[in-house]
Coordinates of all heavy atoms in Angstrom, one line a residue:
M1 N 53.6 14.0 -38.9 CA 54.6 14.9 -38.3 C 54.0 16.3 -38.2 O 53.5 16.8 -39.2 CB 55.9 14.8 -39.1 CG 56.9 15.7 -38.5 SD 58.4 15.7 -39.5 CE 59.5 14.9 -38.5
K2 N 54.1 16.9 -37.1 CA 53.6 18.2 -36.8 C 54.5 19.3 -37.5 O 55.7 19.2 -37.5 CB 53.6 18.5 -35.3 CG 53.0 19.9 -35.0 CD 53.0 20.1 -33.5 CE 52.5 21.5 -33.2 NZ 52.6 21.9 -31.8
Q3 N 53.8 20.2 -38.2 CA 54.5 21.3 -38.9 C 55.1 22.3 -37.8 O 54.5 22.5 -36.8 CB 53.5 22.1 -39.8 CG 53.1 21.3 -41.0 CD 53.6 22.0 -42.2 OE1 54.0 23.0 -42.2 NE2 53.4 21.2 -43.3
P4 N 56.3 22.8 -38.1 CA 56.8 23.8 -37.1 C 55.9 25.0 -37.0 O 55.3 25.4 -38.0 CB 58.2 24.2 -37.8 CG 58.5 23.1 -38.7 CD 57.2 22.5 -39.2
D5 N 55.9 25.6 -35.9 CA 55.1 26.8 -35.6 C 55.6 27.9 -36.6 O 56.8 28.1 -36.7 CB 55.4 27.2 -34.2 CG 54.5 28.4 -33.8 OD1 54.4 29.4 -34.5 OD2 54.0 28.4 -32.7
K6 N 54.7 28.6 -37.2 CA 55.1 29.6 -38.2 C 55.9 30.8 -37.5 O 56.8 31.3 -38.2 CB 53.8 30.2 -38.9 CG 53.2 29.2 -39.8 CD 52.0 29.8 -40.5 CE 51.4 28.7 -41.4 NZ 50.3 29.1 -42.2
T7 N 55.6 31.1 -36.3 CA 56.4 32.1 -35.6 C 57.8 31.7 -35.4 O 58.8 32.5 -35.5 CB 55.8 32.5 -34.3 OG1 55.7 31.4 -33.4 CG2 54.4 33.1 -34.5
I8 N 58.1 30.4 -35.2 CA 59.4 29.9 -35.0 C 60.1 30.0 -36.4 O 61.3 30.4 -36.4 CB 59.4 28.4 -34.6 CG1 58.8 28.3 -33.2 CG2 60.8 27.8 -34.6 CD1 59.5 28.8 -32.0
Q9 N 59.4 29.7 -37.4 CA 60.0 29.8 -38.8 C 60.4 31.2 -39.1 O 61.5 31.5 -39.7 CB 59.1 29.2 -39.8 CG 59.0 27.7 -39.7 CD 58.0 27.1 -40.7 OE1 57.1 27.8 -41.2 NE2 58.1 25.8 -40.9
V10 N 59.5 32.2 -38.8 CA 59.8 33.6 -39.0 C 61.1 34.0 -38.2 O 62.0 34.6 -38.7 CB 58.7 34.5 -38.6 CG1 59.1 36.0 -38.6 CG2 57.5 34.3 -39.6
F11 N 61.1 33.5 -36.9 CA 62.3 33.8 -36.1 C 63.6 33.3 -36.7 O 64.6 34.0 -36.8 CB 62.1 33.3 -34.7 CG 63.2 33.5 -33.7 CD1 63.3 34.8 -33.1 CD2 64.2 32.6 -33.5 CE1 64.3 35.0 -32.3 CE2 65.2 32.8 -32.6 CZ 65.3 34.1 -32.0
E12 N 63.5 32.0 -37.2 CA 64.7 31.4 -37.8 C 65.1 32.2 -39.1 O 66.3 32.3 -39.4 CB 64.4 30.0 -38.1 CG 64.4 29.1 -36.8 CD 63.9 27.7 -37.0 OE1 63.6 27.3 -38.1 OE2 64.0 27.0 -36.0
N13 N 64.1 32.7 -39.8 CA 64.4 33.5 -41.0 C 65.1 34.8 -40.6 O 66.0 35.2 -41.3 CB 63.1 33.9 -41.8 CG 62.5 32.7 -42.5 OD1 63.1 31.7 -42.7 ND2 61.2 32.8 -42.8
I14 N 64.8 35.4 -39.5 CA 65.4 36.6 -39.0 C 66.9 36.3 -38.7 O 67.8 37.0 -39.1 CB 64.7 37.2 -37.8 CG1 63.3 37.7 -38.1 CG2 65.6 38.2 -37.1 CD1 62.4 38.0 -36.9
I15 N 67.1 35.2 -38.0 CA 68.5 34.8 -37.7 C 69.3 34.5 -38.9 O 70.5 34.9 -39.1 CB 68.5 33.6 -36.7 CG1 67.7 33.9 -35.4 CG2 69.9 33.1 -36.4 CD1 68.2 35.1 -34.7
D16 N 68.7 33.8 -39.9 CA 69.3 33.6 -41.2 C 69.7 34.9 -41.9 O 70.8 35.0 -42.5 CB 68.5 32.7 -42.1 CG 68.3 31.3 -41.6 OD1 69.1 30.8 -40.7 OD2 67.4 30.6 -42.1
Q17 N 68.8 35.9 -41.8 CA 69.1 37.2 -42.4 C 70.3 37.9 -41.7 O 71.1 38.5 -42.4 CB 67.9 38.1 -42.4 CG 66.8 37.7 -43.4 CD 65.7 38.7 -43.4 OE1 65.9 39.8 -43.9 NE2 64.6 38.3 -42.9
F18 N 70.3 37.8 -40.4 CA 71.5 38.4 -39.7 C 72.8 37.8 -40.2 O 73.7 38.5 -40.5 CB 71.4 38.1 -38.2 CG 70.4 38.9 -37.4 CD1 69.9 38.4 -36.2 CD2 69.8 40.1 -37.9 CE1 69.0 39.2 -35.4 CE2 68.9 40.8 -37.2 CZ 68.5 40.3 -35.9
K19 N 72.8 36.5 -40.3 CA 74.1 35.8 -40.8 C 74.4 36.2 -42.2 O 75.5 36.5 -42.6 CB 73.9 34.3 -40.7 CG 75.2 33.6 -41.0 CD 75.1 32.1 -40.8 CE 76.4 31.4 -41.0 NZ 76.3 29.9 -40.7
A20 N 73.4 36.2 -43.1 CA 73.6 36.5 -44.5 C 74.1 38.0 -44.7 O 75.0 38.2 -45.5 CB 72.3 36.3 -45.3
L21 N 73.5 38.9 -43.9 CA 73.9 40.3 -44.0 C 75.3 40.4 -43.5 O 76.1 41.2 -44.1 CB 73.0 41.2 -43.1 CG 71.6 41.4 -43.7 CD1 70.7 42.0 -42.7 CD2 71.7 42.4 -44.9
R22 N 75.7 39.7 -42.4 CA 77.0 39.8 -41.8 C 78.0 39.3 -42.9 O 79.0 40.0 -43.1 CB 77.1 39.0 -40.5 CG 78.5 39.1 -39.9 CD 78.6 38.2 -38.7 NE 78.4 36.8 -38.9 CZ 79.2 36.0 -39.5 NH1 80.4 36.4 -39.9 NH2 78.9 34.7 -39.6
L23 N 77.7 38.2 -43.5 CA 78.6 37.6 -44.4 C 78.7 38.5 -45.7 O 79.8 38.6 -46.3 CB 78.2 36.2 -44.8 CG 78.3 35.1 -43.7 CD1 77.7 33.8 -44.1 CD2 79.8 35.0 -43.3
A24 N 77.6 39.0 -46.1 CA 77.6 39.9 -47.3 C 78.5 41.2 -47.1 O 79.1 41.7 -48.0 CB 76.2 40.3 -47.7
K25 N 78.6 41.6 -45.8 CA 79.4 42.7 -45.5 C 80.9 42.3 -45.2 O 81.7 43.2 -45.0 CB 78.8 43.5 -44.3 CG 77.5 44.2 -44.6 CD 77.0 44.9 -43.4 CE 75.9 45.8 -43.7 NZ 76.2 46.9 -44.5
G26 N 81.1 41.0 -45.3 CA 82.5 40.6 -45.0 C 82.9 40.7 -43.6 O 84.1 40.9 -43.3
M27 N 81.9 40.7 -42.6 CA 82.2 41.0 -41.2 C 82.4 39.6 -40.5 O 81.6 38.7 -40.8 CB 81.1 41.7 -40.5 CG 80.9 43.1 -40.9 SD 79.5 43.9 -40.1 CE 80.4 44.3 -38.6
S28 N 83.3 39.6 -39.7 CA 83.5 38.4 -38.8 C 82.6 38.5 -37.6 O 82.1 39.6 -37.3 CB 85.0 38.3 -38.3 OG 85.3 39.4 -37.5
H29 N 82.5 37.4 -36.9 CA 81.7 37.5 -35.6 C 82.4 38.5 -34.7 O 81.7 39.3 -34.0 CB 81.7 36.1 -34.9 CG 80.9 35.1 -35.6 ND1 81.3 33.8 -35.7 CD2 79.7 35.1 -36.1 CE1 80.3 33.1 -36.3 NE2 79.3 33.9 -36.6
T30 N 83.7 38.5 -34.7 CA 84.4 39.4 -33.8 C 84.2 40.8 -34.1 O 83.9 41.7 -33.2 CB 85.9 39.1 -33.8 OG1 86.1 37.7 -33.5 CG2 86.7 40.0 -32.9
A31 N 84.2 41.2 -35.4 CA 84.0 42.6 -35.9 C 82.6 43.0 -35.5 O 82.4 44.2 -35.0 CB 84.3 42.7 -37.3
L32 N 81.6 42.2 -35.7 CA 80.2 42.6 -35.4 C 80.1 42.7 -33.9 O 79.5 43.7 -33.4 CB 79.2 41.6 -36.0 CG 77.8 41.8 -35.6 CD1 77.3 43.2 -36.1 CD2 76.9 40.7 -36.2
A33 N 80.6 41.8 -33.2 CA 80.5 41.8 -31.7 C 81.1 43.1 -31.1 O 80.5 43.7 -30.3 CB 81.2 40.6 -31.1
K34 N 82.3 43.5 -31.6 CA 83.0 44.7 -31.1 C 82.1 45.9 -31.5 O 82.0 46.8 -30.7 CB 84.3 44.9 -31.8 CG 85.4 44.1 -31.1 CD 86.8 44.5 -31.7 CE 87.9 43.8 -31.0 NZ 89.2 44.2 -31.6
K35 N 81.6 45.9 -32.7 CA 80.8 47.1 -33.1 C 79.5 47.3 -32.3 O 79.1 48.4 -32.0 CB 80.4 46.9 -34.6 CG 79.7 48.0 -35.2 CD 79.5 47.8 -36.7 CE 78.9 49.1 -37.3 NZ 78.7 48.9 -38.8
I36 N 78.9 46.2 -31.8 CA 77.6 46.3 -31.1 C 77.7 46.1 -29.6 O 76.7 46.1 -28.9 CB 76.6 45.5 -31.7 CG1 76.9 44.0 -31.6 CG2 76.3 45.9 -33.2 CD1 75.8 43.0 -32.1
G37 N 78.9 45.8 -29.1 CA 79.1 45.6 -27.6 C 78.6 44.3 -27.1 O 78.1 44.1 -26.0
M38 N 78.8 43.2 -28.0 CA 78.4 41.9 -27.6 C 79.7 41.0 -27.7 O 80.7 41.5 -28.1 CB 77.3 41.3 -28.4 CG 76.0 41.9 -28.2 SD 74.7 41.3 -29.3 CE 74.5 39.6 -28.6
T39 N 79.6 39.8 -27.2 CA 80.8 38.9 -27.4 C 80.7 38.1 -28.6 O 79.7 37.9 -29.2 CB 80.9 38.0 -26.2 OG1 79.8 37.1 -26.2 CG2 81.0 38.7 -24.8
R40 N 81.9 37.7 -29.1 CA 81.9 36.9 -30.3 C 81.2 35.6 -30.1 O 80.4 35.2 -31.0 CB 83.4 36.6 -30.7 CG 83.5 35.8 -32.1 CD 84.7 34.9 -32.1 NE 84.9 34.0 -31.0 CZ 84.2 32.8 -30.9 NH1 83.3 32.5 -31.7 NH2 84.5 32.1 -29.8
P41 N 81.3 34.9 -29.0 CA 80.5 33.6 -28.8 C 79.0 33.9 -28.8 O 78.3 33.1 -29.3 CB 81.0 33.1 -27.5 CG 82.4 33.7 -27.3 CD 82.3 35.0 -27.9
A42 N 78.6 35.0 -28.3 CA 77.2 35.3 -28.3 C 76.6 35.4 -29.7 O 75.6 34.8 -30.0 CB 76.9 36.6 -27.6
I43 N 77.4 36.1 -30.6 CA 77.0 36.2 -32.0 C 76.9 34.8 -32.6 O 76.0 34.4 -33.3 CB 77.9 37.1 -32.8 CG1 77.9 38.5 -32.2 CG2 77.5 37.1 -34.3 CD1 76.6 39.3 -32.3
S44 N 78.0 34.0 -32.4 CA 78.0 32.7 -33.0 C 76.9 31.8 -32.5 O 76.3 31.1 -33.2 CB 79.4 32.1 -32.6 OG 79.4 30.7 -33.1
H45 N 76.6 31.9 -31.2 CA 75.5 31.0 -30.6 C 74.2 31.4 -31.2 O 73.3 30.6 -31.4 CB 75.5 31.1 -29.1 CG 76.7 30.4 -28.5 ND1 77.1 30.7 -27.2 CD2 77.5 29.4 -28.9 CE1 78.2 29.9 -26.9 NE2 78.4 29.1 -27.9
I46 N 74.0 32.7 -31.4 CA 72.7 33.2 -32.0 C 72.6 32.7 -33.4 O 71.5 32.1 -33.8 CB 72.6 34.7 -31.9 CG1 72.4 35.2 -30.4 CG2 71.5 35.2 -32.8 CD1 72.6 36.7 -30.2
E47 N 73.6 32.8 -34.2 CA 73.6 32.4 -35.6 C 73.4 30.9 -35.7 O 72.9 30.4 -36.7 CB 74.8 32.8 -36.3 CG 74.8 34.3 -36.7 CD 76.0 34.7 -37.5 OE1 76.8 33.8 -37.9 OE2 76.1 35.9 -37.8
N48 N 73.9 30.1 -34.7 CA 73.9 28.7 -34.8 C 72.7 28.1 -34.0 O 72.7 26.9 -33.7 CB 75.2 28.1 -34.3 CG 76.3 28.3 -35.3 OD1 76.2 28.0 -36.5 ND2 77.3 29.0 -34.9
N49 N 71.8 29.0 -33.6 CA 70.5 28.6 -32.9 C 70.8 27.9 -31.6 O 70.0 27.0 -31.2 CB 69.6 27.7 -33.8 CG 68.2 27.8 -33.4 OD1 67.8 28.8 -32.8 ND2 67.4 26.8 -33.8
K50 N 71.9 28.2 -30.9 CA 72.2 27.7 -29.6 C 71.7 28.7 -28.5 O 71.7 28.3 -27.4 CB 73.7 27.5 -29.4 CG 74.2 26.4 -30.3 CD 75.7 26.2 -30.1 CE 76.3 25.1 -31.1 NZ 77.7 25.0 -30.9
R51 N 71.4 29.9 -29.0 CA 70.9 30.9 -28.0 C 69.9 31.8 -28.8 O 70.1 32.2 -29.9 CB 72.1 31.7 -27.5 CG 71.8 32.8 -26.7 CD 73.1 33.5 -26.2 NE 72.8 34.8 -25.7 CZ 73.7 35.7 -25.4 NH1 75.0 35.4 -25.5 NH2 73.4 36.9 -25.0
K52 N 68.9 32.2 -28.1 CA 67.9 33.1 -28.7 C 68.2 34.5 -28.2 O 68.4 34.8 -27.0 CB 66.5 32.8 -28.2 CG 66.0 31.3 -28.4 CD 65.6 31.2 -29.8 CE 64.9 29.8 -30.1 NZ 65.8 28.9 -30.7
P53 N 68.3 35.5 -29.2 CA 68.6 36.8 -28.8 C 67.4 37.5 -28.1 O 66.3 37.3 -28.5 CB 69.0 37.5 -30.1 CG 68.1 36.8 -31.1 CD 68.1 35.3 -30.6
S54 N 67.8 38.4 -27.2 CA 66.7 39.2 -26.6 C 66.3 40.3 -27.7 O 67.0 40.4 -28.7 CB 67.3 40.0 -25.4 OG 68.3 40.9 -25.8
L55 N 65.3 41.0 -27.4 CA 64.9 42.0 -28.4 C 66.0 43.1 -28.5 O 66.3 43.5 -29.6 CB 63.5 42.7 -27.9 CG 63.0 43.8 -28.8 CD1 62.8 43.3 -30.2 CD2 61.7 44.3 -28.2
L56 N 66.6 43.4 -27.4 CA 67.7 44.4 -27.4 C 68.8 43.9 -28.2 O 69.4 44.6 -29.0 CB 68.1 44.7 -26.0 CG 69.3 45.7 -25.8 CD1 69.0 47.0 -26.5 CD2 69.7 45.9 -24.4
A57 N 69.2 42.6 -28.0 CA 70.3 42.1 -28.8 C 70.0 42.1 -30.3 O 70.8 42.4 -31.2 CB 70.6 40.7 -28.3
A58 N 68.7 41.7 -30.7 CA 68.3 41.7 -32.1 C 68.4 43.1 -32.7 O 68.8 43.3 -33.8 CB 66.9 41.1 -32.2
V59 N 67.9 44.1 -31.9 CA 68.0 45.5 -32.4 C 69.5 45.9 -32.6 O 69.9 46.5 -33.6 CB 67.3 46.5 -31.4 CG1 67.6 47.9 -31.8 CG2 65.8 46.2 -31.4
R60 N 70.4 45.5 -31.6 CA 71.8 45.8 -31.7 C 72.4 45.2 -33.0 O 73.2 45.8 -33.7 CB 72.5 45.4 -30.5 CG 72.3 46.3 -29.3 CD 73.2 45.8 -28.1 NE 73.0 46.7 -27.0 CZ 73.4 46.4 -25.8 NH1 73.9 45.2 -25.5 NH2 73.3 47.3 -24.9
I61 N 72.1 43.9 -33.2 CA 72.6 43.2 -34.3 C 72.2 43.8 -35.6 O 73.0 44.1 -36.5 CB 72.2 41.7 -34.3 CG1 72.9 41.0 -33.1 CG2 72.6 41.0 -35.6 CD1 72.4 39.6 -32.8
A62 N 70.9 44.1 -35.8 CA 70.4 44.7 -37.0 C 71.0 46.1 -37.2 O 71.5 46.4 -38.3 CB 68.8 44.9 -36.9
T63 N 71.1 46.9 -36.2 CA 71.7 48.2 -36.3 C 73.2 48.1 -36.7 O 73.7 48.8 -37.6 CB 71.6 49.0 -35.0 OG1 70.2 49.1 -34.7 CG2 72.2 50.4 -35.1
G64 N 73.9 47.1 -36.1 CA 75.3 46.9 -36.4 C 75.5 46.5 -37.9 O 76.6 46.7 -38.4
L65 N 74.5 45.9 -38.4 CA 74.5 45.4 -39.8 C 74.0 46.5 -40.8 O 73.8 46.3 -42.0 CB 73.7 44.1 -40.0 CG 74.4 42.9 -39.2 CD1 73.4 41.8 -39.2 CD2 75.7 42.5 -39.9
G66 N 73.6 47.7 -40.2 CA 73.1 48.8 -41.0 C 71.7 48.7 -41.4 O 71.3 49.3 -42.4
K67 N 70.9 47.9 -40.7 CA 69.5 47.7 -41.0 C 68.6 48.0 -39.8 O 69.1 48.1 -38.7 CB 69.2 46.2 -41.4 CG 70.0 45.8 -42.6 CD 69.4 46.4 -43.9 CE 70.0 45.8 -45.1 NZ 69.4 46.3 -46.3
N68 N 67.3 48.3 -40.1 CA 66.3 48.4 -39.1 C 65.8 47.0 -38.8 O 65.5 46.3 -39.7 CB 65.2 49.3 -39.5 CG 65.6 50.7 -39.6 OD1 66.4 51.2 -38.8 ND2 65.1 51.4 -40.6
L69 N 65.6 46.7 -37.5 CA 65.0 45.4 -37.2 C 63.7 45.2 -37.8 O 63.4 44.1 -38.3 CB 65.0 45.2 -35.7 CG 64.4 43.8 -35.2 CD1 65.3 42.7 -35.7 CD2 64.3 43.8 -33.7
S70 N 62.9 46.2 -37.9 CA 61.6 46.1 -38.5 C 61.6 45.7 -39.9 O 60.8 44.9 -40.4 CB 60.8 47.5 -38.3 OG 61.5 48.5 -39.0
D71 N 62.6 46.2 -40.7 CA 62.8 45.8 -42.1 C 63.1 44.3 -42.2 O 62.6 43.6 -43.1 CB 63.8 46.6 -42.8 CG 63.5 48.1 -42.9 OD1 62.2 48.4 -42.9 OD2 64.4 48.9 -43.0
I72 N 64.0 43.8 -41.3 CA 64.4 42.4 -41.3 C 63.2 41.5 -40.9 O 63.0 40.5 -41.5 CB 65.6 42.2 -40.3 CG1 66.8 42.9 -40.9 CG2 65.8 40.7 -40.1 CD1 68.0 43.0 -40.0
V73 N 62.4 42.0 -39.9 CA 61.2 41.2 -39.5 C 60.2 41.1 -40.7 O 59.7 40.0 -41.0 CB 60.6 41.8 -38.3 CG1 59.2 41.1 -38.0 CG2 61.5 41.6 -37.1
R74 N 60.0 42.2 -41.3 CA 59.0 42.2 -42.5 C 59.5 41.3 -43.6 O 58.7 40.5 -44.2 CB 58.8 43.6 -43.0 CG 57.8 44.4 -42.3 CD 57.4 45.7 -43.0 NE 58.4 46.7 -43.0 CZ 58.7 47.5 -42.0 NH1 57.9 47.5 -40.9 NH2 59.6 48.4 -42.1
A75 N 60.8 41.3 -43.9 CA 61.4 40.4 -44.9 C 61.2 39.0 -44.5 O 60.9 38.1 -45.3 CB 62.8 40.8 -45.2
A76 N 61.4 38.7 -43.2 CA 61.3 37.3 -42.7 C 59.9 36.8 -42.8 O 59.6 35.7 -43.1 CB 61.8 37.2 -41.2
E77 N 58.9 37.7 -42.5 CA 57.5 37.4 -42.6 C 57.1 37.1 -44.1 O 56.4 36.2 -44.4 CB 56.6 38.5 -42.1 CG 56.7 38.6 -40.6 CD 56.0 39.8 -40.0 OE1 55.8 40.8 -40.7 OE2 55.6 39.7 -38.8
R78 N 57.7 37.9 -45.0 CA 57.4 37.7 -46.5 C 58.0 36.3 -46.9 O 57.3 35.6 -47.7 CB 58.0 38.8 -47.3 CG 57.2 40.1 -47.3 CD 57.6 41.0 -48.4 NE 59.0 41.4 -48.2 CZ 59.5 42.5 -47.5 NH1 58.6 43.2 -46.8 NH2 60.7 42.8 -47.5
M79 N 59.1 36.0 -46.4 CA 59.8 34.7 -46.7 C 58.9 33.5 -46.3 O 58.8 32.5 -46.9 CB 61.1 34.6 -46.1 CG 62.2 35.5 -46.7 SD 63.7 35.5 -45.7 CE 64.3 33.9 -45.8
Q80 N 58.2 33.7 -45.1 CA 57.4 32.7 -44.5 C 56.1 32.5 -45.4 O 55.7 31.3 -45.5 CB 56.9 33.1 -43.1 CG 56.0 32.2 -42.5 CD 56.5 30.8 -42.4 OE1 57.7 30.5 -42.2 NE2 55.6 29.8 -42.5
K81 N 55.6 33.5 -46.0 CA 54.4 33.4 -46.8 C 54.6 32.6 -48.1 O 53.7 32.2 -48.7 CB 53.8 34.8 -47.1 CG 53.3 35.4 -45.9 CD 52.8 36.8 -46.1 CE 52.3 37.4 -44.8 NZ 51.9 38.8 -45.1
K82 N 55.9 32.5 -48.6 CA 56.2 31.8 -49.8 C 56.0 30.3 -49.7 O 56.1 29.7 -48.7 CB 57.6 32.1 -50.3 CG 57.7 33.6 -50.7 CD 59.1 33.9 -51.2 CE 59.2 35.3 -51.6 NZ 60.5 35.7 -52.1

């Protein structure tokens, strides 16, 4: 069986971090969506891997969660190395 592409795994780690940060802040999909100007279904679809966020959407989500996207990407890359 072929191993998943490492870049895909890093991307999935980023999405997992978005969800974990949102939940840690006690934010609903609706609250985050309102804060960043996206729709609730868009946030849900991104978190459930039904839709890939654009770079702009990823920056908006990270900012809405009080983080820099670059910090989230670095953390996702470190998770991949383990």
